[in-house]
């Protein structure tokens, strides 16, 4: 008997049924015949090779995956989330997948500023163990809120507050606008504002074109292993239309400094005068321990040490946009000097003659007198400079830039060599550098 004929029967049957509207039912019906014929041939010791379409079979089976459960992870890590307009701590935590059912801080601390960063500590399962953020108060400062969960209860951290400064670098070759590129590279808002002012006497940052390059070295303030704020922009080089512009920060003392080019000459002219003549800066811009609240705070301005009643003058022409009495600031004046630059003066004993909101002032006009109103430890002037409503260091962005003495110039050259090496390294890297800490 020719067993090969048995093999061809189901094959022909299947071939005819493929083009029929009941093709799949037909194929299914032929399967038993295929199995029978194959088994019969093999059982009888058929020596001929079976046809390809008989030997190959495709089996598709849906397998159920085992149910996944997070392991009971003891590993905790910190995550950052930028604050958006209208955010509260609860909303940001919700986006992060963590939830805070009872607030361990006052309601006014839950109003976060746009652009601020909320840092949370979680495990793999998304359980929340700690959070930190800098919160604005009404006295020109930001309070570091540090909370942690202990034994199921939320409480303020009992750990000592010790922030340290580390260097961060960025290198960006522009493919679009400078503002968009800097934001995409996660350069902090206050550093972006400092950068926009460094060369403002020479060109606007918005004038940079595709192919221009920005290299930055700046300070990042780190608390418990996590960045919480930015310090000074230490060095910057901008290649603009084939021309290189450089600036280096030099500290005059522990509280203030300014930017100079590679030869030690001031990069920015600044205002023609300072608000309090011949007064020293007693407290600089940046992180410090608050003298009253004994907590780590971000000082959003500088303090001038001066006796009560000392005249305070406008350092440049402008419009009076605020003349008021407030809780933290006490008697406060705000002046708008141009579309993006404003200055603020707080804790004044009283206002100058004719000083009222909506009025105009000229450089040198008396706007008030040094006092100790509001939340203040004693007579002094709290002075702020804001660029696009973002506080920046007045000493580097507005005040008259001092020339360097021979001794200072030697110190500047030593520091410049170190920072220049970092900028040169960045300039020679053919790709964008996101961050090196």
């Amino acid at each position: 008997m020719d067993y090969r004929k048995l093999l061809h029967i189901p094959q022909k049957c299947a071939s005819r049924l493929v083009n029929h509207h009941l093709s799949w039912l037909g194929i299914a019906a032929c399967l038993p015949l295929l199995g029978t014929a194959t088994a019969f041939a093999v059982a009888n010791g058929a020596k001929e090779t079976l046809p390809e379409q008989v030997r190959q079979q495709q089996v598709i089976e849906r397998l159920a995956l085992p149910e996944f459960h997070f392991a009971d992870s003891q590993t905790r890590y910190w995550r950052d989330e930028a604050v958006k307009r209208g955010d509260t701590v609860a909303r940001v935590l919700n986006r992060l997948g963590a939830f805070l059912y009872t607030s361990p801080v006052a309601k006014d601390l839950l109003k976060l500023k746009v652009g601020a960063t909320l840092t949370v500590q979680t495990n793999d399962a998304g359980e929340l163990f700690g959070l930190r953020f800098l919160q604005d108060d009404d006295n020109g400062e930001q309070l570091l809120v540090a909370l942690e969960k202990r034994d199921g209860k939320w409480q303020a951290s009992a750990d000592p507050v010790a922030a340290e400064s580390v260097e961060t670098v960025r290198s960006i070759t522009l493919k679009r606008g400078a503002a968009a590129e800097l934001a995409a590279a996660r350069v902090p808002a206050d550093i972006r504002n400092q950068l926009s002012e460094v060369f403002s006497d020479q060109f606007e940052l918005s004038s940079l074109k595709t192919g221009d390059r920005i290299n930055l070295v700046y300070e990042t303030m780190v608390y418990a292993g996590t960045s919480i704020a930015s310090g000074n922009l230490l060095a910057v080089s901008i290649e603009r239309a084939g021309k290189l512009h450089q600036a280096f920060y030099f500290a005059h003392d522990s509280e203030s400094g300014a930017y100079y080019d590679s030869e030690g000459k001031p990069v920015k002219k600044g205002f023609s005068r300072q608000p309090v003549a011949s007064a020293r800066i007693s407290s600089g811009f940046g992180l410090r321990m608050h003298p009253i609240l004994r907590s780590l705070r971000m000082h959003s301005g500088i303090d001038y040490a001066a006796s009560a009643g000392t005249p305070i003058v406008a350092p440049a022409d402008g419009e009076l946009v605020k003349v008021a009495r407030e809780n933290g600031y006490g008697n406060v004046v705000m002046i708008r000097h141009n579309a993006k630059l404003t200055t603020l003066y707080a804790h004044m004993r009283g206002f100058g003659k004719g000083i009222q909101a909506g009025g105009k002032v000229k450089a040198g006009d008396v706007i008030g007198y040094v006092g100790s109103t509001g939340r203040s430890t004693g007579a002094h002037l709290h002075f702020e400079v804001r660029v696009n409503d973002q506080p920046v260091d007045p000493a580097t962005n507005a005040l008259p830039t001092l020339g360097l003495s021979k001794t200072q110039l030697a110190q500047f050259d030593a520091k410049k060599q170190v920072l220049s090496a970092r900028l040169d390294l960045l300039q020679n890297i053919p790709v964008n550098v996101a961050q090196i800490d």
Side-chain angles (χ1 to χ4, degrees):
M1 180 178 180
D2 190 355
Y3 300 111
R4 287 176 296 176
K5 292 182 179 180
L6 292 176
L7 294 175
H8 292 312
I9 293 174
Q11 295 169 23
K12 291 179 180 180
C13 180
S15 175
R16 292 173 181 174
L17 288 171
V18 163
N19 296 320
H20 193 274
H21 67 281
L22 296 176
S23 59
W24 294 111
L25 292 176
I27 291 173
C30 289
L31 289 177
L33 290 176
L34 286 168
T36 301
T38 302
F40 193 90
V42 171
N44 285 273
K47 297 181 180 180
E48 294 186 32
T49 303
L50 295 178
E52 180 72 17
Q53 59 266 42
V54 174
R55 287 190 295 110
Q56 290 186 351
Q57 296 186 39
Q58 183 178 17
V59 178
I60 300 176
E61 182 178 356
R62 187 180 298 275
L63 300 176
L65 294 176
E67 187 176 354
F68 179 78
H69 295 283
F70 278 107
D72 185 14
S73 175
Q74 300 299 317
T75 303
R76 302 179 185 182
Y77 52 90
W78 291 93
R79 300 172 57 189
D80 292 340
E81 177 73 10
V83 176
K84 301 176 182 179
R85 190 172 300 280
D87 264 343
T88 63
V89 170
R91 289 177 182 173
V92 179
L93 290 176
N94 194 26
R95 284 205 303 274
L96 288 170
F99 299 90
L100 187 62
Y101 294 101
T102 59
S103 172
V105 293
K107 290 183 179 180
D108 59 337
L109 292 182
L110 299 183
K111 299 176 182 177
L112 299 178
K113 186 176 181 179
V114 174
T117 299
L118 178 69
T119 304
V120 300
Q121 186 185 42
T122 64
N123 60 9
D124 292 334
E127 185 180 359
L128 184 64
F129 295 98
L131 70 156
R132 297 193 295 260
F133 58 93
L134 284 168
Q135 173 59 48
D136 288 343
D137 70 357
D138 55 359
N139 192 34
E141 296 181 335
Q142 291 179 311
L143 169 67
L144 175 63
V145 179
L147 305 166
E148 60 183 355
K149 194 174 185 180
R150 292 183 179 179
D151 300 325
K153 295 182 180 180
W154 284 96
Q155 56 186 295
S157 175
D159 296 333
V161 176
E164 61 177 336
S165 174
V166 299
E167 286 188 5
T168 299
V169 302
R170 295 284 195 276
S171 182
I172 304 165
T173 299
L174 300 187
K175 296 181 180 179
R176 47 181 172 168
E181 290 281 15
L182 290 166
R186 302 191 70 178
V187 176
D190 49 349
I191 296 296
R192 300 200 301 267
N193 279 309
Q194 288 185 53
L195 176 62
S196 69
E197 289 300 299
V198 170
F199 298 110
S200 61
D201 289 354
Q202 303 172 41
F203 60 87
E204 292 293 332
L205 202 62
S206 59
S207 68
L208 298 182
K209 305 295 184 182
T210 299
D212 290 342
R213 186 155 186 169
I214 301 174
N215 298 317
L216 305 173
V217 182
Y218 60 89
E219 294 174 314
T220 297
M221 305 307 296
V222 176
Y223 169 69
T226 304
S227 61
I228 58 172
S230 300
N232 287 310
L233 174 61
L234 299 176
V236 54
S237 67
I238 295 181
E239 186 178 351
R240 177 176 177 265
K243 183 178 180 181
L244 189 63
H245 302 265
Q246 290 187 323
F248 303 90
Y249 177 79
F250 179 74
H252 298 144
D253 51 41
S254 62
E255 304 295 346
S256 64
Y259 290 102
Y260 299 86
D261 64 17
S262 59
E263 297 179 357
K265 297 178 180 179
V267 173
K268 189 176 177 63
K269 184 179 180 181
F271 291 152
S272 60
R273 63 190 71 201
Q274 62 181 22
V276 182
S278 303
R280 68 177 179 88
I281 298 175
S282 59
S283 181
F285 181 88
L287 284 173
R288 68 182 182 125
M289 188 65 71
H290 191 275
I292 297 178
L293 302 179
R294 303 307 303 166
S295 58
L296 186 68
R297 302 179 79 79
M298 180 73 178
H299 196 209
S300 299
I302 60 176
D303 291 345
Y304 281 104
S307 58
T310 302
I312 303 167
V313 301
D317 298 352
E319 176 189 357
L320 294 163
V321 293
K322 179 186 287 187
V323 179
R325 177 69 179 251
E326 296 184 352
N327 182 31
Y329 280 128
N331 290 326
V332 58
V333 168
M334 182 181 289
I335 303 174
R336 178 183 293 118
H337 300 280
N338 55 44
K340 61 180 182 178
L341 181 66
T342 59
T343 56
L344 181 145
Y345 314 79
H347 307 309
M348 296 189 294
R349 185 173 71 179
F351 305 117
K353 185 178 180 181
I355 297 300
Q356 55 185 346
K360 304 285 186 180
V361 290
K362 294 288 186 181
D365 287 350
V366 175
I367 60 174
Y369 302 91
V370 173
S372 187
T373 56
R375 189 181 299 156
S376 171
T377 56
H380 73 283
L381 171 66
H382 173 79
F383 175 57
E384 289 185 27
V385 174
R386 299 178 181 178
V387 175
N388 297 324
D389 202 34
Q390 178 75 34
V392 296
D393 189 350
T396 58
N397 292 278
L399 297 181
T401 303
L402 302 175
L404 299 178
S405 65
K406 289 184 179 181
T407 301
Q408 289 176 321
L409 189 58
Q411 296 171 343
F412 169 79
D413 284 336
K415 294 183 178 181
K416 182 197 68 176
Q417 290 182 13
V418 175
L419 292 171
S420 291
R422 286 167 172 62
L423 292 177
D424 291 343
L425 177 63
L426 291 173
Q427 186 68 23
N428 293 326
I429 296 176
V431 296
N432 288 358
V433 176
Q435 182 170 344
I436 301 176
D437 290 342

